[in-house]
Amino acid sequence: MTHEFKQIVEAGLSAKRNNLKSVLASVVALDGSSYRRPGVRMLLLEDGAMIGAVSGGCVEKEIWRQAASVFKTGVPKMMMYDGRYRLGCEGALYILIERFNPSDGFYPTFKNWIKNRNHFHILSHFEKKEGEIGGIGSQVKFEGASYSISDGLKHHEKTSLSMFKQTITPCFKLMIIGSEHDAVKLCKYSALTGWETTIVSSPSEDKTLDNFPGATDFQAVTPETLDVSCVDNQTAIVLMTHSFATDLRFLVALKDTKPAYVGLLGPVARRDDLLSQFFEYCLDVDSDFIDLIHGPAGLNIGAETPEEIAISILSEILSVVRNHEPMFLSQKQGSIHTQ
């Protein structure tokens, strides 16, 4: 959800510069099940624009109606949307609606925290009842600093309120090593997923950032000059240069990193040959790094086209980082979402 909140903050800052009021709607509690879970948010602008969504589209009209008074008075309120009677869903959403007007210093602190890939917390104070309630609202807590989001929270503190606490981790990142046509497709789908996407291309390739819609960074480097300091446990890597020797050199360059996932493009025989030669160069490689390598990259969903292969790879990355065994949801027992 980090990229969603980042988009909300960017839109809120833009609205402020254009003298537009904005209202934040946050799902802070849920009874039963729903399309999205607590922690999802959307931003409403007084010119009618909407950034994000808290459901598949069914709840938003009611939020707009409820937000009218918050735009007018600035007083935060709670609303409840019971999907059990309206949609046939099995849950009731409790939604906090408040002015999005962060206290001084929030925007530069947020920008630095995102850039440095540090985690922070959002604390939302609420009650499970509808209407205007004193003291409700949200605050963002960074290490050593706290900023109020809601006007109401600046003046009221009620210890009897419930609190929803959400940890915001660094934006998930995908590093695509390769710059052929299939890398373009994977980059596009990664960006749609909300991941920060870095393209690593050979210096000899006549490619730029403009060749990769959705990419946030582009590096034209050799394996030996690759900056691996940006690789962390919120980073997935896919090797897809279509050159055995180049993939091997990049794998060697990455051997001391600790990403969340490393994917190898190509068949099983190619993977085995690649790892065999890799071990010859890196006898002391940590076994934890080997456990991160997945090849052939992707899930067995019958993918044929570059677009379908991109979906297959992204799906495997999600299953690995979320620690979920791929399966048909129709065969899953109990709740769809992890509680």
Side-chain angles (χ1 to χ4, degrees):
M1 297 181 184
T2 306
H3 73 281
E4 294 176 324
F5 188 65
K6 179 183 175 184
Q7 291 172 346
I8 283 173
V9 170
E10 292 171 346
L13 177 58
S14 178
K16 183 176 182 179
R17 288 170 175 166
N18 289 297
N19 296 314
L20 288 174
K21 294 178 182 178
S22 55
V23 166
L24 181 68
S26 307
V27 177
V28 292
L30 168 66
D31 290 337
S33 63
S34 182
Y35 182 80
R36 298 292 304 270
R37 293 179 290 170
V40 64
R41 298 173 177 82
M42 62 182 288
L43 191 72
L44 315 175
L45 306 185
E46 64 177 339
D47 65 356
M50 179 178 77
I51 295 86
V54 301
S55 76
C58 47
V59 185
E60 283 68 22
K61 289 182 180 179
E62 180 64 17
I63 292 176
W64 268 109
R65 190 181 72 81
Q66 295 277 355
S69 66
V70 183
F71 274 114
K72 185 176 181 179
T73 66
V75 179
K77 67 193 295 186
M78 289 293 302
M79 67 165 278
M80 190 266 283
Y81 191 92
D82 196 336
R84 293 170 293 188
Y85 300 105
R86 306 183 189 205
L87 309 173
C89 296
E90 293 298 324
L93 297 171
Y94 295 89
I95 301 169
L96 168 64
I97 305 175
E98 58 189 316
R99 280 284 305 278
F100 188 76
N101 188 26
S103 52
D104 293 341
F106 168 77
Y107 286 112
T109 302
F110 176 83
K111 182 178 179 180
N112 287 333
W113 229 251
I114 290 293
K115 179 181 178 182
N116 294 327
R117 299 182 63 77
N118 296 319
H119 75 274
F120 56 93
H121 307 283
I122 302 176
L123 280 59
S124 295
H125 306 267
F126 70 98
E127 284 191 20
K128 272 190 173 183
K129 63 181 184 181
E130 296 190 281
E132 297 178 351
I133 303 168
I136 63 174
S138 302
Q139 58 187 150
V140 182
K141 282 198 169 185
F142 305 97
E143 185 176 349
S146 178
Y147 299 94
S148 171
I149 291 297
S150 170
D151 295 333
L153 203 62
K154 295 176 183 178
H155 310 294
H156 302 282
E157 289 291 344
K158 288 178 63 177
T159 56
S160 61
L161 292 172
S162 298
M163 185 181 73
F164 172 70
K165 181 178 180 179
Q166 182 182 23
T167 299
I168 305 296
T169 57
C171 290
F172 195 79
K173 180 168 61 177
L174 176 63
M175 177 182 286
I176 302 172
I177 301 179
S179 55
E180 300 298 336
H181 177 68
D182 52 357
V184 176
K185 299 300 181 182
L186 182 59
C187 175
K188 182 178 179 180
Y189 281 48
S190 171
L192 286 173
T193 307
W195 296 351
E196 294 181 350
T197 308
T198 295
I199 300 295
V200 177
S201 175
S202 168
S204 62
E205 294 283 346
D206 186 21
K207 302 286 179 65
T208 68
L209 185 65
D210 293 336
N211 296 118
F212 300 90
T216 51
D217 187 27
F218 178 86
Q219 301 178 31
V221 295
T222 65
E224 293 72 27
T225 58
L226 176 68
D227 180 10
V228 298
S229 64
C230 60
V231 176
D232 56 24
N233 62 5
Q234 291 291 307
T235 303
I237 302 168
V238 179
L239 283 165
M240 51 192 312
T241 68
H242 295 275
S243 164
F244 183 93
T246 304
D247 279 356
L248 176 60
R249 289 163 60 201
F250 271 112
L251 195 60
V252 171
L254 293 164
K255 70 180 179 65
D256 294 322
T257 63
K258 295 181 180 179
Y261 169 99
V262 178
L264 306 177
L265 206 66
V268 172
R270 184 181 190 274
R271 176 204 64 195
D272 291 344
D273 288 345
L274 191 66
L275 291 179
S276 177
Q277 293 196 33
F278 173 73
F279 289 134
E280 291 183 16
Y281 285 100
C282 307
L283 294 174
D284 59 344
V285 64
D286 195 310
S287 60
D288 288 343
F289 179 77
I290 302 303
D291 292 339
L292 300 173
I293 297 175
H294 298 261
L299 296 182
N300 181 27
I301 58 174
E304 295 287 349
T305 67
E307 292 83 358
E308 293 170 353
I309 292 170
I311 293 171
S312 169
I313 293 173
L314 294 179
S315 298
E316 182 182 47
I317 294 172
L318 276 175
S319 72
V320 169
V321 300
R322 302 280 170 84
N323 194 27
H324 274 51
E325 186 72 23
M327 64 181 299
F328 293 116
L329 285 177
S330 61
Q331 297 177 357
K332 185 176 181 182
Q333 301 296 316
S335 173
I336 294 175
H337 298 293
T338 302
Q339 299 301 314

